[in-house]
Amino acid sequence: MAIRKKIGYRIDPLDLDTRKAIGVRVPFTKKGVFQFNYTTKDQIKSNLINLLLTSPGERYHEPSYGVGLRDIIFDQNIETNQRISNLKARIDQNIQFHLPQIQMTNLKVTPEDKILNIKVEYRILLDNDTNEISLIL
């Protein structure tokens, strides 16, 4: 008799208790000091935003954590295409190393006049759910 593997929705054990917060929501709002995330999907999104907005060396005891968007945005000696390819490489490398629970599926970096649009689409490896974030700098 063959054993069939049941394929279905997988849930993180941290999501089972809806009364316990998993982490702090990013970005912060003016309503209170902190708002909390109660699901791992929301916390992964906050962690990704935090990773993108942190500069390397800014996080205590983790000097490699962070993409360093400010360094690339304000660097004026590099051609725009090279700057965008460096930024994409940094984002990809940091996501693979610091957020192994997700896989980036698409990354768009589009510079406009004085604005940089960054859109990251990703897949959560636990249940293959997709999500995206957009940053305008």
Side-chain angles (χ1 to χ4, degrees):
M1 177 181 215
I3 299 174
R4 293 185 180 198
K5 185 176 179 182
K6 188 175 182 181
I7 299 174
Y9 182 75
R10 290 175 45 188
I11 188 167
D12 194 295
L14 296 174
D15 290 338
L16 295 176
D17 189 358
T18 57
R19 295 173 293 150
K20 289 187 179 178
I22 296 174
V24 178
R25 184 176 297 161
V26 175
F28 301 127
T29 61
K30 294 181 182 179
K31 295 179 183 176
V33 179
F34 296 113
Q35 290 184 343
F36 299 104
N37 289 324
Y38 292 93
T39 64
T40 53
K41 292 178 185 181
D42 292 338
Q43 188 58 40
I44 287 171
K45 191 172 191 174
S46 292
N47 289 344
L48 182 57
I49 292 170
N50 191 24
L51 178 70
L52 293 174
L53 296 178
T54 303
S55 294
E58 187 176 348
R59 191 165 186 175
Y60 189 63
H61 285 296
E62 285 197 53
S64 67
Y65 186 87
V67 174
L69 292 176
R70 286 176 271 172
D71 299 338
I72 294 176
I73 290 173
F74 295 113
D75 190 7
Q76 298 188 12
N77 296 328
I78 299 177
E79 186 179 318
T80 305
N81 292 335
Q82 185 178 359
R83 186 172 13 164
I84 290 173
S85 64
N86 288 344
L87 178 60
K88 285 183 176 181
R90 278 190 190 184
I91 291 172
D92 186 38
Q93 180 184 14
N94 274 281
I95 288 175
Q96 286 180 11
F97 186 75
H98 294 289
L99 297 173
Q101 64 270 28
I102 67 171
Q103 179 182 24
M104 186 173 59
T105 57
N106 193 13
L107 173 63
K108 291 183 182 178
V109 178
T110 54
E112 295 176 9
D113 189 28
K114 293 182 181 180
I115 298 173
L116 185 66
N117 294 326
I118 300 171
K119 182 177 181 182
V120 179
E121 297 174 2
Y122 61 93
R123 182 173 59 90
I124 299 172
L125 298 178
L126 181 67
D127 59 358
N128 289 329
D129 191 20
T130 58
N131 205 341
E132 67 180 37
I133 63 164
S134 297
L135 295 175
I136 299 173
L137 305 170

